[in-house]
């Protein structure tokens, strides 16, 4: 499969430096999409709590065969701005992605957010940014005030980040992600040190103190919820509540997948989108 990676770059938006990787079917198609001239609008992928953009590169490659695709480094991760004085709140992250789309001049676009990224997408959409057409929330934490806790534990994140800062390899990372392939483990071990621990702690805390459900009745754009069959981040009762709060929510469960859905069932992940984004993703998966 020919690579759809076009380049990596930075943009100054919402007062910070934001890094992204851009994938796409070609400059001409990307230009048409950026001007709103294609049914397949550009897609902005927002990764989860400890996932720099590069770790979503294999997904960007697949999306880039069809869509003008931007995979973000959320502030405090990867090559985006970090620092002791930076605001790592959900509000700041939501404002980042809206400002990012505006800075790139995207006339129409969609958000695809995984885990924390799904919460960011919903909060960002509640600001009603110009041009946002659709949202896909992939296994977003449904924790919040008065709700059950997020099932993962904070030490899992901060302990692995501390080891990555020291220097770790595949076998050390395997302790944390025992089902991943060697390539997946190696990439995470290489990049995890770029996650600012303060950013991770604040994002994790806000899984429990910030409510995203309150925005759902206000959203006036299509929402697709993609969830994992395994794990307990989003259960059947959670899906029913989300669909009750916002009419017309579409839902797809990906069989055999845990929370890191495209790592566990990549083909099933792509299939779950159908043509929701304006075009279907290729069914195949990358070759080892």
């Amino acid at each position: 499969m020919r690579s759809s990676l076009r380049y990596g770059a930075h943009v100054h938006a919402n007062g910070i430096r934001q890094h992204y990787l851009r994938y796409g079917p070609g400059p001409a198609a990307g230009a048409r999409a950026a001007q709103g001239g294609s049914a397949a609008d550009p897609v902005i992928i927002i990764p989860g709590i400890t996932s720099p953009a590069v770790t979503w590169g294999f997904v960007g490659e697949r999306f880039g065969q069809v869509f003008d695709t931007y995979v973000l480094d959320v502030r405090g991760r990867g090559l985006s701005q970090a620092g002791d004085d930076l605001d790592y709140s959900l509000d700041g992250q939501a404002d980042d992605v809206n400002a990012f789309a505006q800075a790139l001049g995207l006339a129409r676009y969609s958000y695809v957010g995984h885990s924390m990224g799904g919460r960011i997408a919903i909060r960002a959409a509640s600001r009603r940014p110009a041009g946002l057409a659709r949202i896909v929330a992939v296994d977003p934490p449904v924790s919040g005030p008065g709700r059950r806790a997020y099932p993962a534990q904070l030490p899992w994140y901060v302990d692995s980040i501390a080891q990555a800062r020291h220097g770790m390899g595949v076998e050390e990372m395997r302790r944390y992600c025992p089902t991943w392939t060697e390539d997946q483990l190696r990439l995470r071990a290489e990049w995890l040190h770029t996650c600012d621990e303060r950013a991770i702690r604040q994002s994790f805390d806000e899984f429990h103190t910030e409510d995203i459900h309150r925005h759902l009745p206000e959203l006036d754009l299509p929402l697709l919820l993609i969830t994992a069959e395994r794990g307990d981040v989003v259960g059947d009762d959670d899906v029913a509540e989300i669909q009750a709060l916002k009419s017309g929510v579409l839902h797809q469960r990906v069989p055999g997948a845990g929370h890191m859905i495209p790592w566990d069932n990549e083909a099933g992940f792509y299939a779950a989108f159908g043509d929701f984004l304006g075009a279907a993703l290729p069914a195949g998966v990358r070759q080892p």
Side-chain angles (χ1 to χ4, degrees):
M1 183 180 71
R2 181 180 178 182
S3 175
S4 65
L5 176 63
R6 295 176 60 188
Y7 55 80
H10 296 84
V11 64
H12 189 82
N14 195 33
I16 68 165
R17 184 191 73 253
Q18 298 190 44
H19 175 257
Y20 64 97
L21 299 174
R22 187 178 184 185
Y23 299 82
R32 287 195 301 272
Q35 296 168 7
S38 169
D41 299 320
V43 172
I44 298 174
I45 295 178
I46 312 165
I49 187 169
T50 54
S51 294
V54 67
T55 64
W56 276 75
F58 69 100
V59 175
E61 290 279 9
R62 183 65 53 179
F63 270 74
Q65 294 183 47
V66 179
F67 305 99
D68 189 22
T69 302
Y70 303 83
V71 186
L72 291 184
D73 270 329
V74 177
R75 60 169 60 198
R77 287 89 171 166
L79 300 181
S80 284
Q81 189 167 332
D84 292 341
D85 59 345
L86 204 60
D87 172 20
Y88 288 127
S89 68
L90 178 60
D91 283 332
Q93 294 166 344
D95 290 340
D96 281 350
V97 296
N98 288 340
F100 176 83
Q102 183 179 23
L104 267 60
L106 302 180
R108 277 178 57 90
Y109 53 94
S110 300
Y111 288 150
V112 173
H114 172 252
S115 191
M116 178 191 75
R119 291 170 63 90
I120 294 171
I122 291 169
R123 178 63 60 89
S126 74
R127 271 90 155 126
R128 300 180 181 273
L132 180 60
R134 309 171 191 85
I135 302 173
V136 182
V138 181
D139 227 39
V142 292
S143 46
R147 297 179 175 275
R148 62 184 173 85
Y150 183 57
Q153 301 297 313
L154 182 61
W156 187 90
Y157 299 105
V158 297
D159 291 352
S160 60
I161 291 170
Q163 288 192 42
R165 285 198 304 265
H166 178 75
M168 69 189 307
V170 168
E171 292 309 315
E172 292 91 347
M173 184 57 73
R174 199 184 306 277
R175 284 185 49 219
Y176 297 93
C177 307
T179 65
W180 287 24
T181 68
E182 186 163 323
D183 286 345
Q184 292 165 351
L185 293 168
R186 182 175 291 110
L187 190 62
R188 184 168 176 82
E190 179 185 2
W191 282 88
L192 186 60
H193 77 94
T194 68
C195 295
D196 187 319
E197 182 177 322
R198 193 169 66 85
I200 306 314
R201 287 182 176 277
Q202 183 166 355
S203 292
F204 187 88
D205 288 346
E206 291 193 358
F207 283 173
H208 305 93
T209 62
E210 290 287 339
D211 179 21
I212 60 166
H213 291 76
R214 64 187 174 90
H215 301 305
L216 294 172
E218 309 163 2
L219 299 183
D220 58 358
L221 72 174
L223 171 62
L224 169 63
L225 179 66
I226 296 177
T227 62
E229 182 182 58
R230 294 191 287 104
D232 54 359
V233 174
V234 185
D236 291 340
D237 290 345
D238 302 315
V239 173
E241 180 184 13
I242 290 170
Q243 291 179 322
L245 287 170
K246 174 175 167 47
S247 62
V249 172
L250 302 175
H251 173 238
Q252 293 287 337
R253 277 215 188 273
V254 180
H259 182 57
M260 301 299 284
I261 296 176
W263 279 255
D264 292 335
N265 183 353
E266 188 179 352
F269 176 66
Y270 302 138
F273 286 85
D275 61 358
F276 179 80
L277 295 173
L281 289 159
V285 300
R286 69 196 188 285
Q287 297 300 312

